[in-house]
Structures are given as C-alpha cells and as structure tokens.
Amino acid sequence: MTTRWVKSSAIALVLILLGASGALLLAKGESEYPAGTPGALVSISVQAGESGSAIALDLGARGVILTSKNFYDLASRDSRALAIAPGRHLIESHITSQQALIELLDSTRNSGIVQIIEGSTYADVLAVLKKNGVTGAVGKVVKPTVGRSTSLEGFLFPATYAFAEGTSTNSALSQMVEKFTQSTSSLALSAGFEKYTAYDVLTIASLIQIEADPIDYAKAARVIYNRLKVSMPLQLNSTVQFANGTRGHIALSRNQLRIASPYNTYLHFGLTPTPISNPSLAAIKAALHPALGDWLYFITVKPHETRFTKSYSEFEGWVTLYNNNLANGAFK
C-alpha cells in the first residue's frame, strides 16, 4: 500500500479540531491511554491509498487511541507505517499509538488478507475471494496482450493480497493481473521461446506447475517441448483433471481419460486451449528456460521423486513402481 503521511499545518489543525476531547486531556498532560489496559475490539477499515491523516482520524474517532495527532506524529516518524495494508483490521481500543501501529501491521488481524496459492485455477480464485468477502459480478478485466483467449486463467498472479472493505471482484482480479504484469516484466515473456508464443509458454508453465515439483520444473518443461516437437500427445493427467474437475485425485479412470474435452491431452494433440492454472514465477521461468535433455517421459513414482527418461520400456517399469506405491498408500 502506498500510504501517504503528508505533513502540513492544515492537516495538523484538522487533527487537533476533530480530536477535541483528546486535546482537553492533552492539556492535563495525558496524550495516550494507559498501556496494558485495552478495551473492546474495533474494526478499522483501511482503503487502498488512504492517507495517513485519514487513518489517524479514524483511530481517534473510534476510540482506539486517545488523540489522532499523537498517532499521526508517530507514524510520520516511523517508516513502518508505510506498510499498513488495506483491509479490515480488528484491533483493540483504548491502546497507545505505538500499540495501534503494531496491531495495524499485524496481518493476522487483517481480514482483508487474501492468499492466492501457486497453481490455483480461476475458479479457485473466485472461491477464495468470495470466502473473504470480495463479491460482485465479474465484468471485463483487462489482461496482458500475450494471450489468444479472453480467459483470465494463467494471468491471476499467485501472491498475498490485501483488499479493503468493499473491494469488488473485478477490482481484485484486476490487481492480480497487474501483479502478473509487474512480476513478469523482467522475464521477456512476450518474446516467447523459440517458435512458441508467450501464451504457449504461459500454458506450459501452468502444466508443469501442477505436474512437477519446483526442482523438476525445467526438466518437465523440456519433456513437453520434446513431445510437441515430435508430434506426440502430451498425455498429462493434470489436463484431464482440469477438464472434469477432479484435480487432487491421483488416479484417473478409463472413462475419465475418454472425456470429450479440448483439454484432454490423451485425445488431442498439442497444448491445451488455455493455461490450466495460475503458475508461479518459478514455473514461468522454467518454461522460458527448459533444461537440456532428450526425455520424452516422466512420472512421479512417489511423492517428491520424479523420474525422466527417453525409453518407453524404462517408463513402463516406473509405471509399475508408481502403481505399487499408490496401492500401498504412498500418495496419501
């Protein structure tokens, strides 16, 4: 948040006038509530870009601190105040200005904090926003020009966000797209990789985000490029799970593998129509810089152990090992 602690005589005058009751106590030598005797919890709403003077006035008016001016003066001197995030802060009343600043900086007290995890889908993001009180119809959200689809899948950057009370779904999504643009600006994503467009690279990043551990992202990306080069179907379970909404389930049935969807990479050649998740920066970097190798197959035989090979017969042996580990509960 870019909170602005603007110093001016006009603001100071307003603070004093609106904090009249506090000023009276100031005359008696009291400028703070006694430490260690907090009152009831109070909800303080901080808007994106809200000025420091406005926050100070609200704290004083709600009885959090004794005088708005005292908090304003403290925050003007303390650079930590610039990190006060938008959101709905549940803090104690009748506390010192120092304690108020500490509680405003405590993310556990901010119900406007929303975490979008790596690999979340667009549907996941909407569900998380709704759970955290961010609502409203989804209208047009401007996304980067690297895509051939109107879908926002892939462009909602995984990160921790702070949304002020009343933030709309559209506004929240727009902030995530803006974060994507900012975070990928140094990667030369728009140039793509070899003959593959930026959107292709983003789609591949979304695949390896789900299919591999971070340590193996670059190798998994190379397998995808190698398969595309020789016109092999990708045959990735993650794409089928995206199509039928079964993500999180390790095994797929034969019927699920037959689903008539353009996202079924067992039936359709090439990449999926859109990304299947919102990938991390690490996954995007790996898709832009795949490892060197001739692998055509990879499989996670047990959690955090993924193997890569060019040999189908070796891959078949690993499939047997995977099935045995699955039956023995290794993936629970």
Side-chain angles (χ1 to χ4, degrees), residues 73-213:
D73 290 342
L74 169 67
S76 297
R77 300 189 308 269
D78 195 329
S79 61
R80 291 180 304 164
L82 296 172
I84 297 176
R88 298 173 297 281
H89 301 258
L90 193 63
I91 65 178
E92 297 170 312
S93 60
H94 293 184
I95 55 178
T96 65
S97 296
Q98 182 68 42
Q99 184 61 28
L101 178 58
I102 291 172
E103 293 191 11
L104 283 172
L105 293 171
D106 184 354
S107 61
T108 64
R109 292 179 174 273
N110 188 348
S111 61
I113 296 293
V114 175
Q115 184 176 22
I116 304 302
I117 64 172
E118 299 170 350
S120 296
T121 64
Y122 174 65
D124 293 334
V125 172
L126 291 181
V128 170
L129 290 177
K130 183 177 180 180
K131 181 180 179 181
N132 285 273
V134 179
T135 58
V138 179
K140 184 177 181 180
V141 176
V142 177
K143 70 178 183 61
T145 57
V146 301
R148 57 178 176 263
S149 169
T150 58
S151 173
L152 289 177
E153 201 75 73
F155 295 102
L156 305 176
F157 195 76
T160 299
Y161 297 88
F163 297 124
E165 188 172 8
T167 299
S168 68
T169 301
N170 253 37
S171 176
L173 295 176
S174 295
Q175 289 182 50
M176 293 176 195
V177 172
E178 182 180 356
K179 181 71 171 177
F180 169 89
T181 301
Q182 293 172 347
S183 300
T184 59
S185 62
S186 63
L187 301 184
L189 175 61
S190 59
F193 173 73
E194 295 182 346
K195 69 176 184 179
Y196 299 96
T197 68
Y199 199 62
D200 293 333
V201 171
L202 185 62
T203 299
I204 291 170
S206 78
L207 299 175
I208 63 177
Q209 178 74 57
I210 305 300
E211 288 282 345
D213 288 331

Side-chain angles (χ1 to χ4, degrees), residues 225-236:
Y225 285 121
N226 287 346
R227 285 198 164 209
L228 291 172
K229 184 177 181 179
V230 298
S231 299
M232 284 181 64
L234 296 184
Q235 295 183 324
L236 298 174

